[in-house]
Amino acid sequence: MRLSKSWVIATKDFKVFLKQKKILYSITVAPIIVSILIPTVISFAGQNKGGHGLAATELTVLLPAFAFFYLILAGYIPTTIASYSIVGEKVEKSLERLLATPTTDSEILLGKGISAFLPSMGAIFGGSVIFMVLMDLVTQPKLGYYYFPNWNTGLVFFLLVPLTVVMSVGWNVIVSSRVTDVRVAQQIGILLILPLAGIYVGGELNLIQLGDTNTLLIIAGILFAVDLLLLYAARATFRREEILTKWK
Amino acid sequence: MDGDASRDSELPFMPAIEAVGLTKKFGALTAVDSVTFDVEEGEVFGFLGPNGAGKTTTIRMLCCLISKTGGQAKIAGYDVGEEQDALKIRKLIGLMPDNVGLYEALSAYDNLDFFGKLYDRTEGQRKENIQRLLAMLGLWEKKDVTVSTFSKGMKQKLGIACALIHDPQILFMDEPTANLDPESAKTVRDFILELKREKRTIFLNTHNLDEAQRICDKIAILNTKLMATGTPDELERSVSGKKTVVQLVQVTDAILAALRKLPLSNMTIDGNKLTFDVKDPDKENVAITEAIYKAGGQVRSVNIVGSTLEDAYLKLVRSDKT
């Protein structure tokens, strides 16, 4: 497999994304909102009726789970990009011409994967930096130290988030092969965030210890296994003949 | 042409495209049934057939986009269907699909540059080819304009340019003038003729019989099975030959009796006009006029009317239905 071919396909997709305002907005708006909204809510929480805000003990329970918001974003953002990247080619009927070039199915699939992976990671990392800086500013007076960054957050952002983005890309390749409309692809693709939201809610309800390194590694292991399965299925779906004769 | 020099030197000694018993089945449906033909280097080969005849499926098999279920095919000596040859074939050929398939959000230049990169063209080669192709097709002034603003004809021309960005020696074109206005269709046709002068091998799927007749050196008529192959002239003759129309001063029984003694087929009488199917007009017309004179008739005019490619096409396609 030649990475250079995949990179050519990915950079072409980046150019297309830059021309599509809808894609740009969907990549950037959600991380920015989440990154500003959560610290804002925390800074005002518990202030009404003469309160003094959230206690330090409450913050140490809440903060680890907040990083999981970015796991939800990691499931959501590639949905938009991958659906445009693959269904968009179907709509523009450009896949046949692309498939006729001297590139392998794997190279094209990897190119599509890169074009969904890198902007998603960039948006999530950008948002996470804003989130951590604002959250530290808000919580440092209560905690007496800067909570972010820490090892567990590092695990979330550098291991769980990439694994989730890969999972979302794989899932969306499969979904995109079965639909002809970008919006339908997004609606079905977004179902992936349900289990991720479940993990977040479990953390907030203290059912899952999201501040525990072992728990994070178990989640990473599960995500890795799901990734392998989805990538295998995506590769099986993304075959020249399948695309030209069976994709809707 | 891209590819190694030894392969290039082999090309004159083998057909550019060769198919023997090429077959494609989708489950119980046979889309292409044991098709055999070859296309010489530098030849424009027209593939005619009604919708659903298997023309696009044949192109897709030859371009290694879908697998064959039977038979053999070779492109410049490389085996279609062999995994290790598929990339070499795709590198060697250009495809203009029936759907123009461009990136509408990108400019004409960016579209061409993208495909040039996928065919491993250097930046210098890409710039040179893009400028040459866009200038030839009258699109250079629009090189930085987003494709979504282009007319259908401009998109079609850009689509052809994309198929040629790597300077392929073998070009597959699937209905390149379909849905174009007459002026745009003419521009595209003229461009194909220009490519023909450059001795490129062109495999042209088309519905347009007039276009096929004007452009193609050889034509195949397909209706799942290959119905006939030959030059446009050969096809016309093979189906119903030519007709001789004789206008007489007056048709008499003696003239008709004399003509019936000749080995002529399909004589029709319309007033004083007689029409015959003839295979070799030069010889048969002499015999006809002699017979008429000997029977006391007077000839006003003798005309040879050729059956058209359309006649041949319709006869072949309809005969397959019955």
Side-chain angles (χ1 to χ4, degrees):
Chain A
M1 185 154 57
R2 297 154 300 177
L3 190 61
S4 60
K5 298 276 183 187
S6 305
W7 185 246
V8 168
I9 292 164
T11 49
K12 183 272 295 172
D13 278 353
F14 296 152
K15 275 187 183 173
V16 172
F17 299 158
L18 287 173
K19 302 269 172 93
Q20 302 269 4
K21 285 190 178 135
K22 269 188 273 184
I23 301 178
L24 281 181
Y25 291 154
S26 62
I27 294 172
T28 53
V29 170
I32 290 171
I33 289 176
V34 167
S35 303
I36 295 172
L37 193 67
I38 297 175
T40 307
V41 169
I42 288 295
S43 71
F44 287 105
Q47 300 282 8
N48 61 339
K49 297 178 183 174
H52 299 285
L54 295 171
T57 49
E58 290 173 307
L59 284 174
T60 52
V61 173
L62 286 173
L63 289 178
F66 281 141
F68 273 75
F69 255 120
Y70 290 89
L71 232 57
I72 295 171
L73 288 179
Y76 161 72
I77 294 174
T79 297
T80 313
I81 305 173
S83 56
Y84 266 102
S85 168
I86 296 171
V87 181
E89 294 246 16
K90 281 164 77 174
V91 171
E92 291 191 332
K93 301 188 189 302
S94 49
L95 265 175
E96 184 168 1
R97 193 185 281 282
L98 177 60
L99 293 169
T101 61
T103 46
T104 64
D105 298 348
S106 302
E107 287 161 356
I108 295 173
L109 183 59
L110 180 64
K112 293 290 169 192
I114 292 170
S115 72
F117 182 84
L118 288 183
S120 303
M121 291 300 296
I124 290 166
F125 280 168
S128 69
V129 169
I130 297 170
F131 167 77
M132 286 191 280
V133 168
L134 292 179
M135 199 56 108
D136 277 345
L137 290 174
V138 168
T139 58
Q140 194 273 339
K142 284 277 170 60
L143 295 174
Y145 62 95
Y146 292 114
Y147 185 84
F148 294 112
N150 57 53
W151 286 112
N152 281 348
T153 313
L155 264 181
V156 171
F157 284 112
F158 291 105
L159 185 63
L160 298 189
V161 163
L163 286 171
T164 307
V165 171
V166 170
M167 180 171 72
S168 181
V169 170
W171 169 245
N172 279 289
V173 168
I174 297 165
V175 171
S176 297
S177 71
R178 297 285 175 254
V179 300
T180 51
D181 187 279
V182 172
R183 279 169 300 179
V184 175
Q186 288 170 358
Q187 284 160 8
I188 300 172
I190 216 162
L191 292 175
L192 189 79
I193 68 172
L194 290 176
L196 301 168
I199 295 173
Y200 169 73
V201 173
E204 292 293 22
L205 296 174
N206 232 358
L207 299 172
I208 306 170
Q209 298 302 314
L210 296 180
D212 177 44
T213 306
N214 287 334
T215 307
L216 295 180
L217 289 174
I218 289 168
I219 294 170
I222 294 168
L223 285 173
F224 183 70
V226 174
D227 280 1
L228 288 181
L229 279 174
L230 285 176
L231 288 179
Y232 179 79
R235 180 65 190 85
T237 306
F238 203 89
R239 291 188 189 283
R240 232 159 269 255
E241 184 146 6
E242 288 263 324
I243 293 167
L244 288 171
T245 59
K246 293 185 183 163
W247 280 27
K248 287 179 183 174
Chain B
M1 181 193 291
D2 197 79
D4 51 89
S6 60
R7 178 66 60 179
D8 288 354
S9 64
E10 285 171 27
L11 272 176
F13 307 109
M14 66 177 90
I17 305 167
E18 192 178 6
V20 180
L22 189 63
T23 302
K24 179 67 185 178
K25 291 182 180 178
F26 295 104
L29 175 81
T30 302
V32 177
D33 191 1
S34 196
V35 166
T36 299
F37 61 83
D38 58 60
V39 183
E40 298 300 322
E41 194 192 0
E43 198 168 67
V44 180
F45 186 82
F47 220 40
L48 291 175
N51 289 332
K55 302 189 299 294
T56 298
T57 302
T58 304
I59 277 197
R60 285 177 171 176
M61 280 192 282
L62 293 173
C63 294
C64 304
L65 292 173
I66 60 173
S67 61
K68 56 187 170 62
T69 44
Q72 302 290 321
K74 286 186 177 187
I75 304 288
Y78 291 115
D79 279 320
V80 170
E82 290 294 326
E83 193 62 36
Q84 68 269 25
D85 281 357
L87 276 185
K88 290 172 188 164
I89 289 172
R90 287 206 292 268
K91 204 166 187 179
L92 208 62
I93 62 170
L95 170 66
M96 165 76 190
D98 56 347
N99 293 304
V100 67
L102 297 165
Y103 298 102
E104 302 253 332
L106 301 182
S107 67
Y109 193 98
D110 284 343
N111 267 279
L112 287 165
D113 196 48
F114 169 62
F115 287 106
K117 283 177 185 170
L118 287 179
Y119 284 99
D120 297 321
R121 288 293 170 269
T122 62
E123 193 176 351
Q125 287 170 329
R126 293 199 307 272
K127 276 185 180 171
E128 190 186 321
N129 283 357
I130 291 170
Q131 183 164 5
R132 180 174 55 84
L133 288 166
L134 289 181
M136 277 174 86
L137 290 162
L139 291 173
W140 178 245
E141 299 299 316
K142 303 272 185 187
K143 66 181 168 44
D144 296 321
V145 176
T146 306
V147 171
S148 60
T149 64
F150 279 19
S151 68
K152 202 176 264 182
M154 289 161 76
K155 285 179 187 173
Q156 200 79 353
K157 285 192 262 183
L158 181 59
I160 295 173
C162 284
L164 288 166
I165 188 65
H166 56 300
D167 220 13
Q169 213 51 34
I170 301 173
L171 185 63
F172 290 89
M173 305 178 100
D174 200 352
E175 312 270 1
T177 57
N179 305 317
L180 291 185
D181 62 75
E183 193 183 350
S184 300
K186 186 180 182 310
T187 310
V188 169
R189 266 197 301 274
D190 289 346
F191 190 64
I192 296 171
L193 288 169
E194 181 64 35
L195 297 173
K196 183 179 175 177
R197 277 191 284 277
E198 290 175 7
K199 297 285 176 203
R200 291 180 203 262
T201 308
I202 300 172
F203 189 101
L204 179 74
N205 269 5
T206 181
H207 279 305
N208 189 326
L209 300 170
D210 179 52
E211 177 176 283
Q213 195 151 25
R214 276 197 265 172
I215 295 176
C216 300
D217 300 305
K218 206 155 74 183
I219 288 172
I221 296 176
L222 182 79
N223 199 7
T224 306
K225 294 177 196 156
L226 202 62
M227 310 301 295
T229 314
T231 64
D233 281 348
E234 283 169 350
L235 282 179
E236 286 168 1
R237 282 201 301 270
S238 70
V239 176
S240 55
K242 293 186 185 300
K243 292 180 192 297
T244 291
V245 181
V246 183
Q247 185 72 49
L248 299 170
V249 174
Q250 191 174 7
V251 174
T252 63
D253 289 343
I255 293 171
L256 294 177
L259 288 171
R260 284 193 180 115
K261 287 178 187 165
L262 297 175
L264 298 169
S265 60
N266 225 1
M267 181 171 72
T268 57
I269 307 158
D270 178 14
N272 289 325
K273 189 168 76 178
L274 303 176
T275 306
F276 313 89
D277 284 352
V278 288
K279 284 181 182 156
D280 186 352
D282 290 344
K283 286 181 184 168
E284 290 170 87
N285 287 356
V286 173
I288 290 167
T289 48
E290 273 182 7
I292 291 168
Y293 285 128
K294 282 180 184 170
Q298 285 182 289
V299 175
R300 280 211 170 125
S301 64
V302 178
N303 289 305
I304 303 165
V305 181
S307 59
T308 62
L309 183 61
E310 185 175 58
D311 295 332
Y313 172 83
L314 291 174
K315 193 164 184 177
L316 284 165
V317 170
R318 283 173 184 162
S319 71
D320 190 47
K321 284 182 186 167
T322 54

